[in-house]
Amino acid sequence: MIKLLAYVLIIVLGLCLTPYLLATKGYIYIAIWDYQIETSLAFGLLVLFAIFVSFEVIKKALVFVLTLVLNSRFLPERWRIKKAKKQTLIGALALAEEDWPAAEKAMAKGAENGELPALNYFAAARAAQHQHKIAERDRYLSQAQAEPLAKAAALTTRTRYLLQQGELTQARALLDELEPTSKSKNPILKIAADLYLAQQDWPALKSLLPILAKRHIYPEEQLQKISVQTNVQLVNKAAEQTSNDLDKCWGWFSKSEKNQTDTFIAYLYGLCKLQRKDEALKLLSKQLKSNPKAALFDATAVIATAHDQDIRKSLAKLEHTHENVVNYQDCLAKLALQTREFKQAKMHFNNACHIEPTRTRWLALAQVQEQLGDNMMALQSYRNAAHLND
């Protein structure tokens, strides 16, 4: 644009100066060997200008032709492959350095004539993902998906990226195309589990758990945590419906799953919610006798009421073996409050505060002490609570 403007200014200036130049007597004389050229100054300048313009036009034409030739398919195949390999290498180095713009550009160029273009497109998509260039990323994956062998990998990659974006609905649509089963590859199973967790699709995740365990997709501890979380959510959902749904859900679990403490407690809460408290207390009492755990004591304090004497007898039998378990002391203290046995509650809260002092326990002890009129001790308990944070 600037060059064109300069040419226009030169032409206008020439038109303005031409009358004055024609009126002059100056001339140009050029002698080359036996050849001699003699002309007027005005004509000589006009010829020089024409030569300059012609040179610029010829130069641009040559550049255009050379560019067209170099980028055409008439070049030898070896040249194109060599250039693609070079771009792929540049892109790989950029990926290693996490130079995402350079990696995307080089990998995209290397894919045009590369031996394995799908690999270049996957790398370019990864670089685009890191730059949050969603449209470009999807375009690269679509180009990679054109390769039949790369279709599943392209769908898996796009599903993973959508999951990272939080686009769960779109990710689920693509995952359904992959149809994760026991024959699916580990990356597909991993994405399926992560997506089911994000969508809280507990039935789908439950059906996938045996495959995850068999393939060792997650570490053992994490898989156990996911299994318990899934079972608890399934029990809670069933408890919101009918007793038949709750029994059906519970019967679906294996013996080891039923023995999971959190799952068992969720089932007890579900029974209470569906007006089957007596059944819940019976199961709880049986579990306390066979395998008393800290979480069961917390559940007992929630489920039992002042009229439930049998559960209190079961707890009394554990006094010598669990006297140093803070959850046991908390449970006895809360049960004592239900029957307004403040001295018993004070003793158990005091034991709990000495085993594992927390702000909540000191405050509970202080309130019981106030009920008993022991204001000095209550004041001290309040002071102890002020120095702690639960």
Side-chain angles (χ1 to χ4, degrees):
M1 187 66 184
I2 297 177
K3 286 186 178 181
L4 181 60
L5 181 61
Y7 295 155
V8 172
L9 290 175
I10 291 173
I11 293 172
V12 172
L13 184 61
L15 292 174
C16 295
L17 295 178
T18 298
Y20 299 101
L21 293 174
L22 292 175
T24 63
K25 303 298 182 179
Y27 69 95
I28 297 175
Y29 177 78
I30 301 174
I32 302 176
W33 292 301
D34 295 333
Y35 299 96
Q36 296 178 356
I37 299 175
E38 185 176 354
T39 183
S40 65
L41 179 62
F43 184 76
L45 292 175
L46 183 62
V47 171
L48 289 174
F49 177 73
I51 293 173
F52 175 77
V53 172
S54 301
F55 176 77
E56 287 293 326
V57 172
I58 293 171
K59 184 180 73 171
K60 288 186 177 295
L62 288 174
V63 171
F64 175 76
V65 171
L66 288 174
T67 303
L68 185 64
V69 171
L70 290 174
N71 291 331
S72 70
R73 292 189 173 273
F74 294 103
L75 284 175
E77 186 73 17
R78 185 182 301 174
W79 290 11
R80 295 200 303 270
I81 294 176
K82 183 177 180 181
K83 183 179 179 181
K85 286 183 177 180
K86 181 179 179 181
Q87 291 295 334
T88 301
L89 176 59
I90 293 173
L93 295 175
L95 283 174
E97 296 172 352
E98 297 188 356
D99 185 355
W100 308 121
E104 178 191 356
K105 183 178 179 181
M107 284 298 183
K109 285 185 176 180
E112 295 176 0
N113 298 301
E115 297 177 343
L116 297 171
L119 296 181
N120 288 72
Y121 286 129
F122 279 124
R126 180 189 174 197
Q129 170 69 10
H130 280 280
Q131 299 174 79
H132 306 288
K133 297 168 67 175
I134 307 303
E136 289 81 356
R137 178 203 71 193
D138 291 342
R139 177 165 55 84
Y140 294 137
L141 290 175
S142 297
Q143 291 172 311
Q145 193 173 339
E147 177 67 33
L149 293 176
K151 182 178 180 180
L155 287 175
T156 304
T157 303
R158 183 174 294 177
T159 304
R160 181 184 297 109
Y161 288 154
L162 289 172
L163 178 59
Q164 293 173 0
Q165 286 177 237
E167 299 290 344
L168 303 183
T169 303
Q170 297 181 39
R172 184 60 179 269
L174 292 179
L175 182 66
D176 291 340
E177 291 186 40
L178 293 170
E179 298 179 352
T181 63
S182 58
K183 297 181 180 179
S184 300
K185 295 181 179 179
N186 288 357
I188 296 178
L189 295 175
K190 176 67 166 56
I191 292 175
D194 291 340
L195 183 55
Y196 294 156
L197 274 172
Q199 289 188 313
Q200 297 185 355
D201 189 347
W202 307 114
L205 184 58
K206 178 65 177 177
S207 63
L208 198 63
L209 282 174
I211 307 174
L212 298 176
K214 185 177 180 180
R215 297 280 195 88
H216 303 287
I217 303 297
Y218 291 102
E220 186 64 28
E221 184 177 350
Q222 185 178 2
L223 182 63
Q224 181 68 15
K225 184 178 179 181
I226 293 174
S227 175
V228 172
Q229 181 183 7
T230 302
N231 292 339
V232 168
Q233 293 297 333
L234 287 173
V235 170
N236 291 339
K237 186 176 180 180
E240 294 175 356
Q241 300 174 21
T242 64
S243 293
N244 187 42
D245 291 323
L246 181 60
D247 292 337
K248 185 177 179 180
C249 176
W250 186 249
W252 190 16
F253 296 151
S254 64
K255 184 176 180 181
S256 61
E257 289 175 329
K258 292 179 180 180
N259 289 330
Q260 294 171 348
T261 304
D262 291 341
T263 306
F264 178 73
I265 292 174
Y267 178 59
L268 296 179
Y269 288 155
L271 290 174
C272 294
K273 189 174 184 178
L274 294 170
Q275 309 302 319
R276 296 166 62 182
K277 180 183 172 183
D278 292 340
E279 187 177 347
L281 287 172
K282 183 177 179 181
L283 290 173
L284 178 58
S285 180
K286 182 178 179 181
Q287 192 70 9
L288 285 173
K289 292 178 181 178
S290 61
N291 188 23
K293 293 185 178 180
L296 293 176
F297 298 129
D298 296 333
T300 302
V302 175
I303 296 174
T305 62
H307 304 288
D308 300 317
Q309 298 299 322
D310 292 339
I311 199 72
R312 285 173 164 77
K313 294 178 181 178
S314 298
L315 290 172
K317 296 178 181 179
L318 302 174
E319 182 177 0
H320 297 293
T321 57
H322 290 74
E323 60 180 350
N324 292 324
V325 178
V326 67
N327 302 76
Y328 177 74
Q329 296 293 339
D330 281 337
C331 176
L332 293 179
K334 292 174 182 178
L335 293 179
L337 287 177
Q338 292 178 357
T339 55
R340 302 187 63 81
E341 297 177 2
F342 294 113
K343 290 185 177 180
Q344 289 293 324
K346 173 186 173 182
M347 179 185 68
H348 293 301
F349 274 132
N350 188 60
N351 292 338
C353 288
H354 284 86
I355 296 172
E356 188 178 326
T358 63
R359 184 170 180 269
T360 302
R361 293 190 179 103
W362 280 117
L363 289 175
L365 176 59
Q367 292 171 1
V368 173
Q369 289 169 335
E370 284 184 324
Q371 288 287 339
L372 294 172
D374 195 351
N375 294 328
M376 293 299 296
M377 294 300 298
L379 181 60
Q380 183 60 43
S381 296
Y382 280 123
R383 289 174 181 170
N384 293 335
H387 292 86
L388 295 174
N389 290 316
D390 287 349

